Each structure stands twice: as structure tokens, then as C-alpha cells.
Amino acid sequence: MKTIQFREAIAEAMSEEMRRDESIYLMGEEVAEYNGAYKASKGMLDEFGPRRVIDTPISELGFSGIGVGSAMIGNRPIIEFMTFNFALVGIDQIISNAAKMRQMSGGQFNIPIVFRGPTASAGQLGATHSQALESWFANCPGLKVVVPSNPRDAKGLLKSAIRDDDPVIFMESEQMYGDKGEVPEGEYTLPIGVAEVKREGTDVTVVSFGKIIKEAFAAAEILEKDGISCEIIDLMTVRPMDFETILKSVKKTNRLVILEEAWPFGNVATEITYLVQSHAFDYLDAPIEKINTADTPAPYSPVLLEEWLPNREDVVRSVRKVLYK
């Protein structure tokens, strides 16, 4: 194992795959000359040249469409958005073309494309730069949605996403790029659509994904001091969702808390809640608790932002609530 930053894991995954397959290229704003807005493509222009690491104008709709078109003729593009908030400018290409082309062409065209970049809040960036859009993309058939929470998962899942013959939405976080973690030295991939139990427990299941899962781990440490054992599941992939891993854990603990950095209406936690109550109702010893942001646009004020975001205290309260403590 080696210890590297999240941004380095992303760069390694892309570089290793580009060395393996010449049809893969990276395109987006500042990915080349500037080494990426968050240095997640550092050194790649020097190695692969401007034909395969391509700087674009500020034109998400345009370069998303170019990526989809080039995937239709045999390339495997990686499209980087400086933030997924900006993907909304190009969302017509993602939803109307990338997600649907295989079905609309009767299987004549695969769309092996990865759309990647940071999601959700990253401090005081204001309402239009702090949106968690995982559930938006996961709502669309034809797209796979991956949200890793650490360098090891990021590298293994990104390599799988690049090799996948379907469009993959790969969502990171500006606040994780500097995170360090252990990554295997050799070649490895992680399967898309498989969740992992990151912490074994017996009293309550906590499901989360992405950077907000850190608050779940922090809450579990607090609760352990009171003899409460939390099992934490990292979804890793929002779509396809590994529902069986969640169900198995809930049948063991009989209680479920879901932590998600997203608005509360119609999100990933809502879907999990429905699936668990419809498949494991008799196993539940308490109503399911879901923890989300406040139902408002993200505030700029640091005091309001702290109140708006879910945190470890919210997790502790919810766990105690389902345990009636």
C-alpha cells in the first residue's frame, strides 16, 4: 500500500487507463495547461500531449456534446466539469443523448463516457456552487452514478468507470482532493454497483456516501463511548444501488439511519427508505431516520452554512432516536 491524496488517485486512475487504451482522452476547462482546477490532472498534458488532454472554452454544453459524439464513434472520453453545478449547462447532452443513445439506436451505439468533477458544497461558495445533484442523475435510466469517499475507492472505481461501456457520472468533492489515504501499489479496480460495510456494528445501520460519510464515522466514535455500536455502509455507487448489502445489515441491526448531503425532497435517502420499508418492514424496530441539508439553497454565511449542513451531532441524535435513548 501507498499513501496518496485523493487528487493523486484520480490522476493515477486516468493516466493508467490512458496508457492502456489510446482511445481514452480527457477534456474540460483548465485540465491541461493549468494541471486541472484542483490539480487532479497534474502532469497529464506533459505525458499525453494536447491531442489527449484538451483544454476547452467555458462551454459545458459544447464539450459535453463533443464527448458524446466522439464516444459514438469509438472513443472513450473523460469529461471534467469544474463543478457539477456547471454540468447543468450541459445536462441536455447527458440526459437526452448520453443516457438514451444506446436504447434509441437499438444497441448500435454504446456511449463509453465518464463525466467527472466535484459535487455538493465546498465551503462558502454560495447557493449556485453548492448543489448535490446525485439524485438528479440517478433518476435517469441509462446513467451510472458513482460517489467515492476516499482515495482507494476513487482510483478503483474511476478505472472501472473508464472501462465501462455505458455513461458514468463520477462525482468527487473539492473538500476531499487533499485527503490522504492508502491505495494499493499495483493494478486494481473496484466494481461499480457494490457497497461496502466500512465499519462493523450491531445496534444500528448508518448508510452514507461521499464526503459527508466522515460525519457518520465521527458520530460512531462518539456513540461507541456510550456502548452504542454503529454499522456504517458506504454506498460508493448510487446507481446501480447495492440494496442487498443495506438489507442484510438492517436485518441484523433492525434500525436504519441514512446520512446524505442533499435537499430532503425526493433524494437517494428517500429511495432507500422506501426500499427498506417495503422489503424489510418486519425487521425494523424503529422508524427510519434520514438526515439531509435544510430545505433551502445553500447559504453563503458561515454560521448559516454550518446550520444548513448535516453533521455528526445530527447523526448522534438520529441514532439515539431510533434506539429510543
Side-chain angles (χ1 to χ4, degrees):
M1 303 290 280
K2 60 183 178 181
T3 300
I4 61 174
Q5 290 184 330
F6 193 103
R7 60 168 58 87
E8 293 173 310
I10 295 293
E12 282 192 5
M14 293 190 293
S15 297
E16 288 176 12
E17 293 305 300
M18 287 173 70
R19 293 180 197 120
R20 188 183 60 83
D21 185 345
E22 289 191 356
S23 70
I24 301 166
Y25 68 90
L26 172 65
M27 180 166 59
E29 295 155 1
E30 298 184 347
V31 299
E33 295 288 346
Y34 193 65
N35 285 310
Y38 311 103
K39 307 306 179 197
S41 54
K42 187 176 180 179
M44 292 181 64
L45 176 62
D46 293 338
E47 179 175 356
F48 300 104
R51 190 177 70 87
R52 297 182 67 196
V53 182
I54 306 166
D55 277 331
T56 68
I58 302 174
S59 54
E60 287 82 6
L61 181 61
F63 63 77
S64 296
I66 290 170
V68 173
S70 73
M72 291 176 66
I73 58 170
N75 293 300
R76 307 184 80 88
I78 305 166
I79 305 299
E80 178 179 311
F81 297 117
M82 195 177 293
T83 158
F84 261 97
N85 297 279
F86 302 161
L88 297 181
V89 181
I91 201 169
D92 181 51
Q93 289 294 338
I94 300 171
I95 301 296
S96 298
N97 292 328
K100 296 176 174 60
M101 192 59 66
R102 185 172 183 176
Q103 179 177 338
M104 291 195 303
S105 69
Q108 294 179 80
F109 293 105
N110 291 332
I111 308 295
I113 188 170
V114 175
F115 297 97
R116 52 156 294 269
T119 183
S121 64
Q124 290 179 264
L125 297 182
T128 59
H129 290 65
S130 304
Q131 301 170 115
L133 304 172
E134 293 89 345
S135 61
W136 289 33
F137 292 108
N139 183 255
C140 180
L143 298 177
K144 298 176 181 179
V145 182
V146 178
V147 194
S149 65
N150 60 71
R152 172 256 185 186
D153 296 353
K155 182 177 179 181
L157 287 166
L158 183 53
K159 286 169 72 70
S160 294
I162 294 168
R163 297 180 189 186
D164 202 291
D165 285 334
D166 292 316
V168 179
I169 308 296
F170 195 92
M171 309 182 92
E172 302 153 16
S173 169
E174 292 164 65
Q175 292 183 322
M176 289 199 301
Y177 284 121
D179 288 2
K180 291 184 177 181
E182 288 190 336
V183 171
E185 289 277 3
E187 167 71 17
Y188 77 100
T189 60
L190 293 175
I192 291 174
V194 178
E196 285 189 4
V197 177
K198 299 284 187 168
R199 191 182 197 276
E200 298 280 350
T202 56
D203 294 327
V204 60
T205 299
V206 181
V207 175
S208 190
F209 59 91
K211 79 172 191 292
I212 202 68
I213 199 172
K214 296 177 184 179
E215 297 301 311
F217 288 118
E221 293 297 320
I222 294 169
L223 289 161
E224 188 175 39
K225 296 174 183 176
D226 291 336
I228 297 171
S229 175
C230 296
E231 180 148 296
I232 298 178
I233 296 175
D234 187 342
L235 279 183
M236 298 163 65
T237 304
V238 169
R239 182 161 184 165
M241 186 183 294
D242 183 2
F243 177 60
E244 290 305 315
T245 294
I246 299 171
L247 197 61
K248 182 179 178 181
S249 178
V250 169
K251 287 181 177 180
K252 178 177 74 172
T253 67
N254 310 118
R255 293 170 173 84
L256 175 61
V257 172
I258 310 162
L259 172 64
E260 178 188 6
E261 184 183 346
W263 295 308
F265 186 89
N267 52 33
V268 176
T270 305
E271 181 68 10
I272 295 171
T273 299
Y274 169 75
L275 288 169
V276 171
Q277 67 84 25
S278 53
H279 289 84
F281 182 81
D282 290 339
Y283 289 89
L284 291 170
D285 288 341
I288 298 166
E289 281 285 302
K290 68 187 194 79
I291 307 166
N292 297 114
T293 67
D295 196 15
T296 69
Y300 178 79
S301 158
V303 176
L304 293 177
L305 184 63
E306 186 176 349
E307 288 296 313
W308 182 82
L309 274 169
N311 57 46
R312 63 199 65 184
E313 287 79 17
D314 296 325
V315 180
V316 169
R317 278 194 296 270
S318 291
V319 168
R320 292 189 183 281
K321 184 175 179 181
V322 298
L323 289 167
Y324 303 109
K325 292 186 176 180

